[in-house]
Amino acid sequence: AMQCQSCLPRGSWMQMCLSLPLTRVTRSVYLCAASVPGAEGSYFLRKIPHRSSISLLRGCAHSQGGSQEHSAQRSSSRHGMSHLRNLASSDAIKKHQKTLSAWFSNQPNEERQFGPSFSLDAVHVDPVIQESSLEEILKPSPDLTIQNQLQQTCSRVISLQNLFDVDACGRQVKNVVLYGTVGTGKSTLIKKMVVDWCHGRLPRFELVVPFSCEDLSYSRAPISLRHLITKKYQHLRDVVPMLSTSNLKVLFILNGLEHLNLDFRLAGTELCCDPSEPVPPSAIVVNLLRKYLLPEASIIVTTRPSAVRRIPGKYVGRYAKICGFSDTNLQKLYFQMRLSQPSCSGEGSAGSSSGEQENLVEMLSRNLERHNQIAAACFLPSYCWLVCTTLHFLHFTKTVPPSQTLSGIYTSFLRLNFSGEVLDSTDPTNISMMKYVAKTVGKLAYEGVMSRKTCFSESDLQQCFEVEMKTESELNLLEVFRSDVFRFFLTPCVQPGKEHTFVFTIPAMQEYLAALYVVLGEKKTLAQRVGKELTEVLGKVSEDVAVVVSIISKVLPLRFLPVLFNLLKIFPRYFSRMSGKERDAIAHTMAEELFKEEDYNNDDVLDQINFSILGVEGPMRHPDEAPDDEVFELFPIFMGGILSRRNRAILEQLGCSIKNLAAFEIAKAMKKTVIRNSRKGLPPSELMDYLFFLHEFQNERFTAEAVRSLRTVNLSSVKMTPLKCSVLASVMGTTCHQVEELNLTSCNLDTNSLRILFPVLLRCKALHLQLNSLGSDACKEIRDLLLHDKCVVSNLRLANNPVGEQGAQYLAEALAGNRSLTHLSLLHTALGNQGAEVIAQHLAKNQHLQELNLGYNSLTDTAALHVVEVAKKHVTLDKVHLYFNDISEDGKRALHSLRADRDGVRALVFLTAGTDVSDYWSHILNVVQRNLPFWDRERVLQHLALILQDLESSRKQTANPWRKAKFLRVENEVKKMLGKLEHGTL
């Protein structure tokens, strides 16, 4: 069946597309989550995909066709159970059910770490199972695109409960092979089957005995079936003697057959019908499947497609293929149930977060209905878990402990699906699946990132996968990869006109694998590859020669021997320097990709991921419209994340080793490039990406050195979600240095954001919080901030926030006790007269304020004059902004009479100062121009008209030609602004 590279037919890679047909057949739906049995000696499922983790309530309807069968099964099982009740083994089986249920209810670390965890009976949707045959397995799929697959109907859908029904010929099925590619949900489905039996929902069988084939593969010593069962499940020791003597209905579950090398030839595996006879574990499996050992027992085997043929067809009663979530309705059900869980939004957020949860589900459903690429990705239940976990990370993360990073989510996702498994247990190299993926798919991903390409043709795939195939072993590994793993990473494109190309299942996965390819050092030149091999060989030779030279030199004083020995050391030293240059190249690549100027106008990466999952709201792009350039800003961030200690430990388990020394040298080389480039000044979105990179890198010493160089942090207009606030607080928290300026203008901040950022805000001298809808609750947090003994805030800007009277009360209390604030801007904060009066009352207790802006707050003469009277007596306050308030002509004249040299304060009310132009006229006009998008234009027009009248009146009162020229200049500026406002061009 293996073909050499030159003989592979055209279109061979196209035959690898997903064959996940659409079905609308009524099925039973349960809700559960995948979990890992953690008890020692009961290791059943090594890898636990959360992928199919959802189900409606435990009492949700079973399929209609199963009710009569269940009643028949109950009547038939009553006789067996009545006999069993008279035996001591009845209690043992009950204990077995209780133990299995407890084992399989344990949640994996990733389930608890990256979102709310669910019990096995809480969230689960059964994937589609299709009855198949050996001929279909061996025959290549004729479907070339996902669209063709969606047009088919799943003609032979079968439920999990009906797998052991009689076949088409009326024969009772005893052996079932359940197969599916990586990520389709085999392990989770079997776990659900075991738990159903524990809870009495699988009455066909009186005893279920699960085995892990991976566990069995590690044992070589002969063992009997009875001893094997009692070794794994000691509480069944009273039941084991009955297996071959009673009519006990037993189901053996053999999970992960691909780990066992089975030989069904009599010459390879002798016949054995005695459960007490010790034989190798593989022989027990073979004889169970032969029906020579316990012929009445039922057996279900799970395996990947490449290992299906290891069992001869005559020993299989039914083949069943897991098709995943081939119906988008199943995907919607999963997302709705998973994202609507009360615990999804965290504690103390039931009110606002419930609406956000519903909005997320709605947006995701609309994106699925558009036949977006995400619908093709979610054919695999494991990717549904990844989507939900990513959304939880983006929207419901309140704090970010070191264990929660985006690269950590993807690394853990790969561990859940691959678990360090070897690609082919029959291959002598024993290369892990993840290592093979990094070398091949990683190369494809990296070349796509470098050429800014996301769609790959068949020739691209052949170049990456087949160009270096030289041996029979390599071709065998390629065939296994194509049948078992290929569909997990690559899927046919759904865009019109690109149906015959492939894309990565999730866009971010391309960038992750490209980063893994580079960090693992797979991107080597020919000289580097030859040098590495030569270094290893000569290094070993040098050690041997050193021993020989030390012995000979004691007998014969030959001086030339050490010379030869040192010559041998030249090559390892030379190529070790080349290795150091390779790590410099990795650091250079990371810095170059992180600070690409062509990406400066893009959204930050967290928003990009959010849009890729939920879609972009608005009109659909026209098919003839030129697409936007592809963006790969996650690539360098993933490179940094993969180098973190935790991710390197997980990748070590997957067979992808990154040494501590390599990570240290890369980080050392990065200091010369990354930190230097960050000092040039980055746009807000790029600065957010840089901070996120530092968080993903998880190197506190490196981050501290990088953050010390950031004296000014400008994140204006970046939508600061709780996650981004947590990232900013975490990264800035690595040092204690003061920040000269933190600009968070128009960042969608709220009270919770201020709580998260509190430690950072304390250290900021200039703090810009304009345009954030901060109300009275937020002002309470700001009061606590300003009253903190470590607060260094000297310039606080709260313009264009709905502070209101209650907020003014909190800020007035802060002014009374604060010792650092010198400039406070409350421009357009809806204070009103009451708010201004409260501030004026507490202002006398302040000893440090120098400038106060109360412009555009609907103040009348009384409030404005009261503030100015208090300001006159203030020790340091010398400037009060009162423009765009409702001040009468009398109030204006009273304020005009103020003199800084005489009264100690200057009031900025209009553009005039008596018969002269105010020194601050340009400042006032600039404030108006900057805030026009957020102010009431009609009111601004009225105020500008009054200002123009005041300028003309003052100009007529002066006889000084120089002053008249200044008045005319200012009048022209105001007239230009009025004209643009009236025509809507400003």
Side-chain angles (χ1 to χ4, degrees):
M2 301 299 175
Q3 297 174 333
C4 69
Q5 159 187 349
S6 59
C7 299
L8 286 172
R10 177 172 176 80
S12 60
W13 284 103
M14 284 297 179
Q15 295 170 356
M16 294 308 303
C17 357
L18 298 169
S19 56
L20 299 175
L22 182 67
T23 177
R24 300 190 182 276
V25 179
T26 304
R27 288 175 302 282
S28 62
V29 182
Y30 299 117
L31 254 55
C32 82
S35 62
V36 176
E40 185 176 355
S42 62
Y43 192 72
F44 169 47
L45 294 180
R46 179 70 178 271
K47 68 182 181 68
I48 308 299
H50 305 65
R51 25 247 209 205
S52 56
S53 302
I54 307 199
S55 100
L56 290 171
L57 297 173
R58 183 183 299 180
C60 250
H62 289 49
S63 58
Q64 297 177 359
S67 59
Q68 296 178 356
E69 173 201 350
H70 285 254
S71 61
Q73 289 172 355
R74 291 192 194 99
S75 62
S76 64
S77 64
R78 282 195 192 104
H79 176 71
M81 290 303 294
S82 62
H83 173 69
L84 198 60
R85 288 190 193 100
N86 299 325
L87 302 175
S89 58
S90 176
D91 292 336
I93 290 182
K94 290 180 181 178
K95 184 177 180 181
H96 181 58
Q97 289 177 324
K98 184 178 180 180
T99 305
L100 282 183
S101 178
W103 286 344
F104 290 112
S105 297
N106 291 331
Q107 297 291 339
N109 292 332
E110 288 75 13
E111 184 72 30
R112 298 189 299 269
Q113 178 181 338
F114 298 113
S117 58
F118 306 101
S119 65
L120 197 57
D121 286 337
V123 185
H124 175 81
V125 171
D126 284 337
V128 175
I129 304 175
Q130 179 183 2
E131 190 169 0
S132 182
S133 65
L134 187 59
E135 291 75 15
E136 292 182 10
I137 298 171
L138 299 177
K139 181 178 66 176
S141 172
D143 304 319
L144 298 180
T145 63
I146 285 183
Q147 283 78 1
N148 291 340
Q149 297 167 23
L150 290 172
Q151 292 170 3
Q152 293 185 348
T153 57
C154 204
S155 57
R156 291 174 293 171
V157 172
I158 186 170
S159 68
L160 189 66
Q161 289 79 12
N162 298 330
L163 287 177
F164 289 93
D165 288 353
V166 295
D167 60 12
C169 300
R171 293 173 297 192
Q172 183 63 46
V173 173
K174 289 293 185 180
N175 292 350
V176 174
V177 173
L178 186 66
Y179 70 95
T181 59
V182 174
T184 50
K186 300 183 296 296
S187 299
T188 303
L189 199 62
I190 291 300
K191 285 168 60 63
K192 181 63 172 59
M193 187 178 190
V194 172
V195 172
D196 280 350
W197 174 77
C198 293
H199 294 163
R201 294 193 291 266
L202 199 64
R204 182 194 293 268
F205 303 107
E206 297 167 344
L207 177 64
V208 171
V209 183
F211 285 117
S212 166
C213 292
E214 182 181 9
D215 184 25
L216 298 179
S217 68
Y218 297 139
S219 177
R220 304 294 181 186
I223 188 173
S224 68
L225 177 59
R226 290 182 177 179
H227 187 197
L228 180 63
I229 295 175
T230 55
K231 180 181 178 182
K232 304 299 179 183
Y233 308 102
Q234 294 183 2
H235 42 270
L236 292 179
R237 58 183 177 273
D238 295 332
V239 182
V240 168
M242 300 173 50
L243 291 179
S244 57
T245 60
S246 68
N247 293 324
L248 191 66
K249 296 178 180 178
V250 183
L251 171 64
F252 287 99
I253 298 177
L254 302 173
N255 185 61
L257 185 74
E258 64 272 5
H259 294 284
L260 285 176
N261 297 325
L262 303 182
D263 189 350
F264 281 82
R265 299 173 303 158
L266 290 177
T269 304
E270 62 179 347
L271 296 175
C272 175
C273 62
D274 184 2
S276 302
E277 182 180 351
V279 293
S282 60
I284 293 177
V285 173
V286 168
N287 281 290
L288 283 173
L289 292 170
R290 283 172 173 169
K291 291 303 168 192
Y292 202 74
L293 180 62
L294 301 183
E296 295 302 320
S298 298
I299 301 173
I300 184 168
V301 175
T302 67
T303 183
R304 303 199 300 258
S306 63
V308 169
R309 67 191 73 181
R310 295 184 187 179
I311 305 176
K314 62 182 179 180
Y315 298 127
V316 180
R318 175 171 283 124
Y319 291 95
K321 176 183 179 181
I322 303 182
C323 301
F325 292 160
S326 55
D327 187 346
T328 53
N329 290 325
L330 294 179
Q331 301 173 14
K332 290 181 183 179
L333 177 62
Y334 180 95
F335 293 131
Q336 180 179 3
M337 299 304 301
R338 181 97 191 198
L339 293 174
S340 298
Q341 291 290 321
S343 57
C344 185
S345 57
E347 299 179 0
S349 54
S352 60
S353 294
S354 60
E356 186 177 1
Q357 288 172 281
E358 294 175 3
N359 187 44
L360 284 178
V361 174
E362 179 64 26
M363 293 179 67
L364 193 53
S365 297
R366 285 202 296 266
N367 209 18
L368 291 171
E369 290 169 359
R370 293 171 184 163
H371 299 289
N372 198 288
Q373 196 69 50
I374 191 174
C378 291
F379 277 5
L380 295 175
S382 58
Y383 275 97
C384 292
W385 179 86
L386 179 61
V387 167
C388 286
T389 303
T390 304
L391 286 177
H392 183 273
F393 177 70
L394 293 175
H395 291 271
F396 303 116
T397 300
K398 306 303 180 185
T399 58
V400 282
S403 59
Q404 287 198 5
T405 62
L406 187 67
S407 52
I409 289 176
Y410 276 76
T411 306
S412 299
F413 170 70
L414 294 174
R415 179 173 67 175
L416 288 171
N417 287 279
F418 294 97
S419 302
E421 295 182 22
V422 297
L423 181 61
D424 185 6
S425 60
T426 63
D427 187 79
T429 60
N430 280 332
I431 184 172
S432 71
M433 279 197 290
M434 200 59 233
K435 181 69 172 179
Y436 189 87
V437 167
K439 292 168 67 72
T440 55
V441 187
K443 179 183 178 183
L444 180 73
Y446 173 75
E447 292 179 354
V449 168
M450 290 297 101
S451 58
R452 292 192 169 247
K453 182 170 66 173
T454 57
C455 295
F456 303 93
S457 65
E458 186 178 341
S459 61
D460 294 330
L461 299 179
Q462 290 175 345
Q463 246 184 342
C464 280
F465 292 98
E466 300 173 8
V467 69
E468 295 183 0
M469 296 292 107
K470 298 177 182 178
T471 65
E472 182 72 14
S473 175
E474 291 174 335
L475 285 173
N476 291 341
L477 289 175
L478 178 61
E479 288 296 323
V480 173
F481 169 79
R482 287 172 58 182
S483 64
D484 296 350
V485 189
F486 177 81
R487 295 173 242 191
F488 185 83
F489 293 104
L490 292 161
T491 184
C493 185
V494 300
Q495 296 181 16
K498 297 183 179 180
E499 293 86 354
H500 297 282
T501 60
F502 289 90
V503 296
F504 278 83
T505 313
I506 291 286
M509 185 59 75
Q510 176 180 354
E511 299 178 75
Y512 181 91
L513 292 178
L516 184 61
Y517 177 77
V518 174
V519 173
L520 286 177
E522 296 295 336
K523 189 180 79 70
K524 293 186 179 75
T525 62
L526 180 62
Q528 288 173 335
R529 291 181 181 177
V530 172
K532 182 179 180 181
E533 295 175 0
L534 207 58
T535 300
E536 293 176 355
V537 172
L538 293 178
K540 294 177 180 178
V541 170
S542 299
E543 294 176 1
D544 297 335
V545 170
V547 177
V548 175
V549 168
S550 62
I551 295 174
I552 295 177
S553 61
K554 293 178 180 178
V555 180
L556 299 175
L558 300 178
R559 297 182 179 179
F560 67 89
L561 289 178
V563 176
L564 292 176
F565 174 62
N566 289 328
L567 286 174
L568 283 174
K569 285 186 175 180
I570 290 177
F571 291 98
R573 290 174 182 171
Y574 173 74
F575 287 112
S576 65
R577 292 179 182 176
M578 291 184 62
S579 177
K581 291 183 179 180
E582 175 191 342
R583 285 154 189 167
D584 288 342
I586 293 175
H588 177 75
T589 301
M590 200 180 303
E592 184 180 4
E593 294 295 323
L594 190 61
F595 301 107
K596 274 192 172 181
E597 293 187 6
E598 55 263 39
D599 295 333
Y600 276 10
N601 296 322
N602 300 329
D603 295 320
D604 62 82
V605 292
L606 293 175
D607 282 347
Q608 292 176 28
I609 298 170
N610 193 53
F611 295 150
S612 70
I613 295 175
L614 299 178
V616 180
E617 296 296 314
M620 297 287 288
R621 183 189 298 274
H622 192 275
D624 298 333
E625 186 179 350
D628 297 331
D629 292 336
E630 300 293 347
V631 177
F632 297 98
E633 293 185 84
L634 266 176
F635 169 55
I637 293 175
F638 275 143
M639 288 178 68
I642 288 172
L643 286 170
S644 69
R645 183 180 298 274
R646 181 180 178 277
N647 285 328
R648 283 189 285 119
I650 296 176
L651 288 169
E652 181 77 28
Q653 299 172 20
L654 297 177
C656 300
S657 178
I658 304 172
K659 302 299 182 185
N660 289 333
L661 180 61
F664 173 78
E665 291 181 349
I666 293 173
K668 185 178 178 181
M670 283 168 54
K671 290 182 181 180
K672 307 173 185 176
T673 53
V674 174
I675 296 179
R676 183 177 64 246
N677 288 332
S678 68
R679 292 170 180 163
K680 296 179 180 179
L682 299 172
S685 61
E686 290 301 306
L687 179 58
M688 187 68 241
D689 290 347
Y690 179 58
L691 294 173
F692 188 60
F693 165 80
L694 294 176
H695 168 69
E696 292 283 314
F697 192 36
Q698 293 292 306
N699 187 322
E700 188 170 343
R701 182 179 297 178
F702 180 91
T703 301
E705 187 170 342
V707 168
R708 285 192 192 98
S709 64
L710 296 177
R711 293 292 177 178
T712 300
V713 180
N714 180 12
L715 295 173
S716 60
S717 300
V718 174
K719 185 179 180 181
M720 294 298 291
T721 62
L723 172 62
K724 295 177 188 176
C725 292
S726 299
V727 168
L728 176 59
S730 174
V731 171
M732 299 297 291
T734 56
T735 67
C736 297
H737 79 287
Q738 292 185 2
V739 180
E740 294 295 330
E741 181 181 349
L742 176 59
N743 191 344
L744 296 175
T745 302
S746 189
C747 289
N748 289 73
L749 298 180
D750 56 15
T751 306
N752 184 54
S753 305
L754 296 180
R755 291 195 190 105
I756 297 172
L757 293 172
F758 193 91
V760 179
L761 303 182
L762 283 174
R763 296 155 40 200
C764 299
K765 292 184 178 180
L767 186 56
H768 301 261
L769 299 176
Q770 306 97 301
L771 296 164
N772 279 298
S773 301
L774 299 176
S776 58
D777 291 340
C779 290
K780 190 175 182 180
E781 295 296 324
I782 295 173
R783 178 197 64 183
D784 297 340
L785 171 74
L786 294 175
L787 293 178
H788 198 281
D789 57 353
K790 294 184 178 179
C791 177
V792 299
V793 177
S794 60
N795 188 344
L796 175 61
R797 298 191 179 187
L798 289 169
N800 299 305
N801 283 298
V803 172
E805 295 179 10
Q806 183 60 49
Q809 178 67 41
Y810 292 132
L811 293 177
E813 294 172 8
L815 278 176
N818 178 267
R819 297 182 179 181
S820 63
L821 197 63
T822 58
H823 295 74
L824 175 62
S825 174
L826 296 174
L827 175 71
H828 191 222
T829 51
L831 296 180
N833 286 334
Q834 293 296 327
E837 292 284 354
V838 170
I839 290 178
Q841 292 171 9
H842 290 75
L843 197 57
K845 300 177 183 178
N846 181 280
Q847 301 296 320
H848 303 279
L849 195 65
Q850 300 174 9
E851 184 175 348
L852 176 64
N853 191 334
L854 299 178
Y856 204 154
N857 274 296
S858 303
L859 304 186
T860 59
D861 294 359
T862 305
L865 291 172
H866 185 202
V867 171
V868 172
E869 288 299 324
V870 174
K872 285 182 180 180
K873 303 173 183 177
H874 198 279
V875 179
T876 57
L877 185 59
D878 61 0
K879 194 182 299 180
V880 179
H881 300 249
L882 293 170
Y883 39 81
F884 278 73
N885 281 302
D886 300 331
I887 300 174
S888 66
E889 287 296 325
D890 293 338
K892 181 178 64 173
R893 282 193 294 271
L895 293 172
H896 271 320
S897 64
L898 293 174
R899 293 288 181 271
D901 54 350
R902 183 188 66 197
D903 302 308
V905 65
R906 172 69 61 88
L908 281 63
V909 185
F910 288 96
L911 303 187
T912 59
T915 58
D916 198 359
V917 176
S918 170
D919 294 337
Y920 302 99
W921 70 267
S922 60
H923 170 77
I924 295 174
L925 289 183
N926 285 335
V927 169
V928 173
Q929 190 164 359
R930 284 198 308 268
N931 291 278
L932 272 177
F934 323 107
W935 288 0
D936 182 1
R937 286 183 174 247
E938 292 298 325
R939 186 172 179 181
V940 172
L941 282 170
Q942 294 176 7
H943 277 282
L944 286 177
L946 291 174
I947 287 175
L948 186 59
Q949 292 176 9
D950 183 64
L951 286 169
E952 293 174 348
S953 175
S954 298
R955 176 169 52 85
K956 293 176 181 178
Q957 294 176 14
T958 182
N960 189 320
W962 173 246
R963 290 183 179 179
K964 284 183 180 288
K966 287 172 64 178
F967 274 114
L968 287 173
R969 179 189 172 191
V970 178
E971 287 175 30
N972 288 333
E973 292 294 332
V974 175
K975 287 178 181 178
K976 287 180 184 179
M977 190 176 293
L978 276 169
K980 291 180 179 180
L981 273 173
E982 291 171 351
H983 293 90
T985 58
L986 187 62

